[in-house]
Amino acid sequence: MALYTLHRRYLPNGTFSTLSGPDGQLRCHMLERPWRNNAPFVSCVPPGRYRLLPNHSPKFGAGYRLESANLGVGHSRGLRTHILIHPANRVDELSGCLAPGRDFGVSQGRWAVVESRAAFDALMAEWAGQDHELEISL
């Protein structure tokens, strides 16, 4: 199980991060909603360590989900659920999930990640359906 690291920058209009692999090399950029006290659908997830688990979503298909019971993210009642990594370019396309991108840019006049599908496909190929861990830090 490999450990990936997400280094964040919190801004009023979104959370903009870089994802590094176990070797410390940049894999992609990530976009999330702004921090809103871990509120479902409107907040990025709290910093900490998560399990990255293969997932199949009816809406997004094959991908990954985050789980960490001690951080309030998982599949149990009372926790935030369905925190996915899936393609998206803008914050308004996310409901508490994470979107990979090849770079940061602008889409429809808003800060965004660009080439999200390509970055997502590269992550899926690298992760190859295996469980991994994600450490989210500042």
Side-chain angles (χ1 to χ4, degrees):
M1 186 178 319
L3 176 63
Y4 290 78
T5 306
L6 192 70
H7 296 282
R8 284 185 163 162
R9 287 177 225 102
Y10 296 99
L11 299 171
N13 57 342
T15 302
F16 297 84
S17 308
T18 55
L19 180 70
S20 299
D23 59 2
Q25 296 298 307
L26 175 70
R27 293 302 195 271
C28 66
H29 301 279
M30 286 279 192
L31 175 65
E32 297 175 76
R33 288 197 167 255
W35 176 248
R36 301 283 186 259
N37 296 314
N38 201 26
F41 307 110
V42 297
S43 180
C44 62
V45 295
R49 189 171 281 207
Y50 294 85
R51 291 183 65 204
L52 282 171
L53 303 170
N55 186 70
H56 188 274
S57 160
K59 183 174 181 178
F60 299 107
Y64 274 76
R65 72 178 189 272
L66 277 65
E67 279 197 10
S68 178
N70 64 327
L71 292 170
V73 176
H75 279 291
S76 301
R77 180 176 281 214
L79 300 177
R80 277 185 66 184
T81 61
H82 302 93
I83 307 301
L84 307 178
I85 295 177
H86 65 78
N89 295 101
R90 298 181 318 274
V91 167
D92 64 332
E93 297 174 309
L94 297 169
S95 296
C97 298
L98 295 86
R102 296 252 182 196
D103 205 349
F104 297 119
V106 175
S107 173
Q108 297 182 359
R110 297 182 188 111
W111 291 4
V113 290
V114 295
E115 297 184 53
S116 185
R117 172 56 68 179
F120 176 81
D121 289 346
L123 283 178
M124 295 305 100
E126 181 171 339
W127 292 346
Q130 303 297 310
D131 294 2
H132 297 288
E133 289 186 303
L134 177 66
E135 179 76 29
I136 299 176
S137 63
L138 295 177

